[in-house]
Amino acid sequence: MSFFRCVIRCALLCAHAAAWAEATIEGTLALPRAKAETPAPSRYENRIPGEVAPPPAPVAVVYLAGNFSSATGANATVSAKVVQEHFQFSPAVLPVRLGTVVEFPNLDDSYHNVFSYSKPKRFDLGRYHKDEKPAAVVFDKAGVVKLYCEIHEHMRATILVLDTPYFTKTDTNGNFRLEHLPAGKFTLKAWLDEKTQLERAVDLSDGATLRVDFASK
């Protein structure tokens, strides 16, 4: 092998290693208080025929933004689910990567509906029972998609469509951990709701764990 070919090969190997560096970010952030909500009567029924689960505790989505190697495309999530159970959407917050297919199974003994008027994805699956399978939806534009049930007005959820393979949800105490991150300079972002987003510039090193604690606005 010639000297120049050897140099080029070493450079490519070094670039590949940098793209797959094993950095970690962990930390915490302050979450909003849970809101107690009383379900309103369903639009097409005199009462909701079953137990209504309490609203889920608030969580946030934490993700790494920046320019990543094209090799990270192999880690993309290809499918996910938002179920309708005990007259709530579960999960209430779902982060997905751009291009993910999401299904919406109904597990209740009642008709449900899923629709959204959000700009990144507008759709309406119509009313359907637990024995029926609605069409899956491809989320092909980044942004916030708010979900509703036209029959049960208290049911709400959010799908956060992200153009990054590196994301996670906090636990209900606001703790998070992002692993298997590339080395380099990026922006760490935290999405709490449409009005509250936090961010911090980060410089990640291979094999190192960076601590980032977001202060609430």
Side-chain angles (χ1 to χ4, degrees):
M1 181 181 295
S2 69
F3 172 78
F4 292 106
R5 290 180 64 184
C6 183
V7 170
I8 293 173
R9 183 174 182 181
C10 289
L12 291 174
L13 289 173
C14 289
H16 183 269
W20 289 98
E22 294 291 321
T24 299
I25 303 176
E26 61 181 20
T28 187
L29 55 86
L31 298 173
R33 293 183 178 180
K35 296 180 180 179
E37 296 182 1
T38 302
S42 59
R43 182 167 296 181
Y44 298 112
E45 302 170 350
N46 293 327
R47 63 184 181 86
I48 296 177
E51 178 183 357
V52 179
V59 295
V61 176
V62 180
Y63 60 98
L64 196 67
N67 295 319
F68 306 111
S69 166
S70 59
T72 59
N75 296 329
T77 300
V78 295
S79 64
K81 289 183 180 181
V82 175
V83 304
Q84 297 155 93
E85 186 174 20
H86 300 306
F87 299 90
Q88 298 285 6
F89 286 117
S90 180
V93 177
L94 176 68
V96 299
R97 192 176 180 186
L98 194 69
T100 297
V101 177
V102 180
E103 298 180 337
F104 299 90
N106 176 7
L107 305 184
D108 286 327
D109 291 321
S110 175
Y111 278 95
H112 278 303
N113 160 264
V114 183
F115 76 93
S116 178
Y117 292 145
S118 300
K119 289 183 179 180
K121 178 61 67 173
R122 298 174 184 266
F123 66 95
D124 189 336
L125 300 183
R127 292 194 297 160
Y128 58 96
H129 201 258
K130 66 188 302 182
D131 297 326
E132 301 173 297
K133 184 177 181 179
V137 179
V138 180
F139 290 83
D140 50 7
K141 186 176 181 180
V144 178
V145 180
K146 307 292 289 186
L147 304 179
Y148 303 92
C149 175
E150 195 264 341
I151 303 173
H152 308 99
E153 295 182 5
H154 71 279
M155 293 177 59
R156 299 181 181 184
T158 300
I159 294 179
L160 184 61
V161 187
L162 301 168
D163 190 12
T164 172
Y166 306 110
F167 56 85
T168 189
K169 288 197 298 185
T170 67
D171 62 21
T172 55
N173 293 318
N175 301 305
F176 66 89
R177 183 177 175 89
L178 271 172
E179 299 178 316
H180 311 301
L181 305 177
K185 295 182 179 181
F186 304 99
T187 301
L188 184 68
K189 297 187 177 184
W191 186 94
L192 286 81
D193 55 44
E194 289 181 280
K195 296 181 179 179
T196 309
Q197 294 95 45
L198 311 172
E199 63 179 55
R200 184 84 59 84
V202 295
D203 190 350
L204 303 180
S205 300
D206 186 13
T209 297
L210 180 66
R211 178 80 189 187
V212 177
D213 294 319
F214 286 100
S216 59
K217 291 184 178 180

